[in-house]
Amino acid sequence: MHSQHGKKIHFIGIGGSGMSGLARIALSDGITVSGSDSKDSTVLSALVALGATVYSQHAAENVVGADVVIYSTAISSTNPEMSYAVERSIPILTRAQALAQLMVGTKSIAVAGTHGKTTTSSMLTVALQACGSDPSFAIGGTLMASGANAHRGTGQYFVAEADESDGSFIEYKPLSAIVTNIEHDHVDFFHTPQEVTTAFANFAATISPGGFLVYCADDEGSRKLGTQSHPFTTVSYGEAEGADLRLDQISLLPMGSSARVIWHGRTVGTLELQVPGHHNVLNAAACIAMGLSLGEPIHQLLAGLHSFRGAGRRFELKATEHGIRIIDDYGHHPTEISVTLDAARRYAGDGRVLVIFQPHRYSRTQAFLNEFATSLDKADDVTLLEIYAASEKPIPGISAELIAEKMQHGHFIPNFALAAERMIELAKPGDVIITLGAGDVNSLAPIIAEGLNKRFA
């Protein structure tokens, strides 16, 4: 989109995590940016400070003078700004199409997979920064270190989180890609596991012939994709025998981990992380495999990964009150929840793991009722809020209460205030409280912290 220099771009739904990042990059590229969003947020005030014009209502006149309109998938075709753009034949791009244009002319690296995309993209960005590069990036979450989810760097690399949830990641056509794992999710879009496999195969087919696919040898779906015949180089990582980038002597600690790094059969160093969980050891391995494939030095890559403090809402410590730690985590698929609660168990030591969980989407809840119940029961106690719809229409009869009924330690309390109160009364020093889910459950963390402060004061 360098070619858009001096043009005016209008973003419908500019406050969304992906959209605001693109707006930030467009502003860096010297493009005039306007946008509309009904929600007020710190993200919007930051964009205004960078020079964007932001409207709080969706109205046709907001689009007047725009050369291009970019919209998020959550926007309906009846939106007045969309209608105006269609009537006036103004070019309309999806977020993915716009991001693909922003990546032209760079060494683009797309990070895909059912789980771990945001963390792996964030880790790779930090690792490349440690190699002296100033990569551009567009990441779903908020990087803790920089506080921004997107940046137009001066370096040659562009790291982009590639979201498969609506199949749009086939737009990116990256030089290289990482696929962390492949499993059934986003059941509103992918009706069968086969559809997911096909989507990732289509994504891999867009990688440049001179590039490479970095895939996880420990994950069945990712391995199947990686071992098919491809016109580009494939690089495997994991604990599996024969992986190109192999980790062994893995030591998982309450708030970090370490492992020996072996590249094509040779020990090249030790990985030391300050974020917990076995899954993060694998995410880091993906970054090392990509970095080495790009010709970057191992010691700088390892130093960058050691400095990584986590992506926002990924096992993020929000507060400590009287020995009770409050963690926020975005986990919203049974596999992610299982991994998060394993890490929480190590982190809690002798304390209990207490969870407030908000399921995300009716379709996902319906598809994985039993899996949610099983993974959540890894905690000592779970308070279940009602399902966060995320632009879906409710499915009759589907409620978070169904998960609670299948659990040993599940309690359905849809009222946010009562759920927070329950947690404040239940917690004891040494316990770990987790606000869990991709909706707005994280808004309870400061309320619980304040309540605990008062209770023990």
Side-chain angles (χ1 to χ4, degrees), residues 19-316:
M19 296 285 277
S20 60
L22 293 194
R24 197 180 276 271
I25 293 175
L27 287 161
S28 303
D29 286 353
I31 296 165
T32 304
V33 169
S34 65
S36 52
D37 209 291
S38 49
K39 289 195 275 294
D40 196 32
S41 70
T42 49
V43 171
L44 296 179
S45 42
L47 288 172
V48 171
L50 290 169
T53 306
V54 179
Y55 305 100
S56 55
Q57 260 101 29
H58 294 280
E61 56 263 29
N62 299 347
V63 190
V64 173
D67 297 299
V68 179
V69 168
I70 298 171
Y71 70 99
S72 70
T73 38
I75 301 296
S76 82
S77 54
T78 57
N79 179 289
E81 299 183 4
M82 280 286 274
S83 307
Y84 179 89
V86 171
E87 280 163 24
R88 298 292 187 287
S89 304
I90 300 169
I92 301 171
L93 300 178
T94 62
R95 177 185 172 266
Q97 288 166 336
L99 180 52
Q101 289 201 13
L102 289 172
M103 293 196 286
V104 170
T106 67
K107 283 190 175 174
S108 54
I109 305 157
V111 180
T114 313
H115 318 293
K117 288 184 289 291
T118 301
T119 302
T120 306
S121 308
S122 305
M123 275 184 175
L124 181 59
T125 299
V126 172
L128 291 173
Q129 285 168 339
C131 295
S133 169
D134 174 21
S136 301
F137 56 85
I139 299 171
T142 304
L143 265 171
M144 301 283 270
S146 68
N149 61 348
H151 163 72
R152 169 62 85 190
T154 54
Q156 56 183 346
Y157 299 120
F158 195 128
V159 178
E161 178 179 339
D163 184 5
E164 81 286 1
S165 65
D166 56 3
S168 64
F169 63 169
I170 58 166
E171 303 280 359
Y172 296 163
K173 305 181 179 55
L175 169 73
S176 303
I178 291 172
V179 174
T180 55
N181 43 52
I182 299 175
E183 148 172 56
H184 194 202
D185 190 18
H186 306 293
V187 292
D188 51 325
F189 185 78
F190 298 116
H191 300 296
T192 64
Q194 183 53 49
E195 285 180 28
V196 182
T197 308
T198 305
F200 276 96
N202 292 341
F203 167 69
T206 69
I207 297 171
S208 307
F212 21 79
L213 168 68
V214 171
Y215 70 92
C216 183
D218 298 359
D219 175 76
E220 190 189 351
S222 183
R223 188 178 64 248
K224 274 187 185 157
L225 176 70
T227 48
Q228 289 162 9
S229 62
H230 295 292
F232 41 78
T233 310
T234 56
V235 182
S236 59
Y237 68 91
E239 287 182 82
E241 287 290 333
D244 299 315
L245 188 288
R246 209 167 148 249
L247 296 182
D248 69 358
Q249 298 177 7
I250 293 174
S251 160
L252 298 175
L253 305 164
M255 270 321 274
S257 41
S258 66
R260 184 169 68 157
V261 182
I262 302 160
W263 177 238
H264 294 300
R266 231 181 86 238
T267 300
V268 290
T270 304
L271 169 70
E272 289 184 345
L273 288 176
Q274 298 187 71
V275 286
H278 182 266
H279 58 300
N280 278 325
V281 176
L282 283 178
N283 292 337
C287 299
I288 299 168
M290 178 57 78
L292 291 174
S293 301
L294 292 166
E296 296 296 340
I298 182 67
H299 299 295
Q300 270 104 311
L301 290 167
L302 291 172
L305 291 167
H306 181 250
S307 73
F308 179 74
R309 290 271 195 250
R313 302 218 56 211
R314 303 300 193 280
F315 212 83
E316 184 181 344

